[in-house]
Amino acid sequence: MAYRALTYASHGPPSQVLRLVTLPALPPPPPSTVNVKFLMSPVNPADINVIQGVYPVKARTNLNESWIGGNEGVAEVVDVSDGETNLRIGDRVIPCTPQLGTWRARANIASDNLVKVPADWSLKRAAAASVNPPTAIRMLLDNPSDGWVMQNCANSGVGESVVQVARHLGIKSVNFVRDKGKKVDVPGWGAGSVEERLRDLGADEVCEYKDLDVKGGEVGKMIKAKNIKLMLNALSGPYTTAMAKLLGQAPRLISYGAMSLEPLSFPTSLFIFKGLEAKGFWMHRWYDTHSRQEREEMIRTVAEMGLREPGGKEVSIDGQDVVKEIVESKDKVFIKM
């Protein structure tokens, strides 16, 4: 049967280049491939960046000279090729290879590029399981924390995952946001302030960037007293520099984003006298350098963490305004197929 997909023939603003199209029915799955029916796919900031052409990787799936959008999603296996042993009809799966194109209702995908997820997971939880939770898990498991972690962009998707994973691992967290009193209404969670949302997820301390403007202030004293040795950065810019100055001895700073679009700089003294180690992390690279078995183990670890279902607004891929919803919605969007 024919199916719908969100595609783009050239890079540019999604409102101008993204198109909802109908594609012809797929052939039976070739060897080592399965046919899947996508059920739900989230829209992440990186998805928009890929369409804009400013992300360091490109979409992998090109059909009829157009690229398929989307990186994450949950699907159901509806047909398997002869001799397929990894997956069975009815399995719920998610991609474990980035940028396969998930904003489509149907696909033939190599079984090695898919991993099973628990059947009892909600669609939203499964659809958003391959980027934000694993990013938080890897950064916290692969870097020593000594009991505390400090992060910025704490109310982002990764930030909220960090709060929950840290709490599960027995690590306390200091979380910086722009406005902790800002009222939010998260679909699937309810209304409250940013601070209330984070504390409900398990945050120990919630601070604002403006607190860093006060030299010798109470927030700075509180953080210094904790001798924090692990910091996670998705912001960059001067506030990240100010946060780094509050770290304890022999700290490690992991950068996985730059939402401020500003460069990251540190005084040389942090490296010489505190022994600061600064490095980057990219989940895409982790997937590219790890085996299918390791990817499956990662999903099992996500399941063990018991993370909350992410909040977000559902829109139908058949909806007349689906592109507008993706581009203009202030809430996280999940595309329902």
Side-chain angles (χ1 to χ4, degrees):
M1 59 181 291
Y3 63 99
R4 310 300 294 276
L6 287 160
T7 70
Y8 54 100
S10 61
H11 294 299
S15 60
Q16 298 177 21
V17 301
L18 197 59
R19 297 287 183 268
L20 177 63
V21 301
T22 300
L23 297 173
L26 293 170
S32 302
T33 301
V34 298
N35 181 279
V36 300
K37 175 176 68 176
F38 274 101
L39 305 173
M40 183 174 284
S41 299
V43 178
N44 293 316
D47 297 324
I48 303 302
N49 295 154
V50 171
I51 296 169
Q52 293 168 330
V54 299
Y55 204 65
V57 297
K58 309 300 180 186
R60 295 178 189 255
T61 303
N62 188 298
L63 298 175
N64 300 329
E65 299 185 357
S66 291
W67 300 100
I68 306 289
N71 180 48
E72 286 189 287
V74 59
E76 179 183 339
V77 176
V78 295
D79 196 8
V80 299
S81 58
D82 291 340
E84 172 60 38
T85 58
N86 291 326
L87 299 171
R88 296 182 298 178
I89 292 174
D91 283 343
R92 287 271 180 96
V93 295
I94 62 174
C96 62
T97 297
Q99 301 301 329
L100 291 180
T102 58
W103 295 353
R104 48 177 163 166
R106 297 273 182 162
N108 277 334
I109 299 177
S111 60
D112 278 349
N113 290 331
L114 300 167
V115 294
K116 288 190 288 187
V117 295
D120 60 351
W121 275 9
S122 69
L123 291 183
K124 283 183 181 177
R125 188 179 180 194
S130 65
V131 176
N132 290 345
T135 297
I137 289 168
R138 289 268 58 92
M139 290 193 298
L140 288 171
L141 287 182
D142 297 344
N143 298 283
S145 68
D146 204 24
W148 280 92
V149 61
M150 178 166 63
Q151 66 164 339
N152 50 38
C153 297
N155 57 331
S156 66
V158 173
E160 290 191 351
S161 293
V162 166
V163 170
Q164 296 175 80
V165 173
R167 175 53 59 94
H168 182 88
L169 297 174
I171 300 170
K172 295 183 178 181
S173 62
V174 174
N175 304 274
F176 274 87
V177 296
R178 188 172 303 280
D179 181 0
K180 64 184 182 180
K182 180 181 178 180
K183 298 301 180 182
V184 293
D185 190 352
V186 181
W189 176 71
S193 69
V194 168
E195 180 174 11
E196 287 170 335
R197 166 74 174 172
L198 290 172
R199 290 195 182 276
D200 186 47
L201 294 174
D204 294 282
E205 304 286 352
V206 181
C207 310
E208 296 179 333
Y209 299 124
K210 66 183 180 183
D211 296 330
L212 297 165
D213 295 329
V214 182
K215 292 186 177 180
E218 293 303 313
V219 168
K221 292 178 181 177
M222 176 269 292
I223 294 172
K224 284 185 175 180
K226 299 183 187 305
N227 192 31
I228 297 174
K229 296 188 177 183
L230 178 62
M231 177 178 161
L232 308 179
N233 166 48
L235 183 68
S236 297
Y239 281 132
T240 300
T241 304
M243 290 172 67
K245 292 178 179 179
L246 301 176
L247 292 169
Q249 286 294 319
R252 181 175 293 184
L253 187 149
I254 309 298
S255 293
Y256 66 96
M259 295 298 291
S260 69
L261 301 180
E262 295 182 276
L264 182 59
S265 63
F266 303 111
T268 306
S269 60
L270 289 184
F271 295 97
I272 296 175
F273 302 117
K274 280 197 173 181
L276 173 66
E277 179 184 357
K279 57 192 295 187
F281 179 78
W282 188 23
M283 199 66 215
H284 184 111
R285 183 184 297 112
W286 189 93
Y287 279 122
D288 279 348
T289 56
H290 288 74
S291 67
R292 187 175 190 275
Q293 290 72 28
E294 289 171 312
R295 298 170 189 175
E296 290 176 336
E297 179 59 33
M298 167 58 70
I299 298 305
R300 285 193 288 271
T301 302
V302 172
E304 291 169 1
M305 294 290 168
L307 307 186
R308 302 271 189 90
E309 176 184 286
K313 178 181 180 180
E314 295 181 18
V315 301
S316 171
I317 196 170
D318 293 317
Q320 195 171 21
D321 297 324
V322 61
V323 173
K324 184 178 180 181
E325 292 278 9
I326 289 173
V327 174
E328 298 182 4
S329 178
K330 295 181 180 179
D331 298 317
K332 185 176 180 67
V333 170
F334 287 84
I335 305 169
K336 198 167 185 178
M337 305 304 171

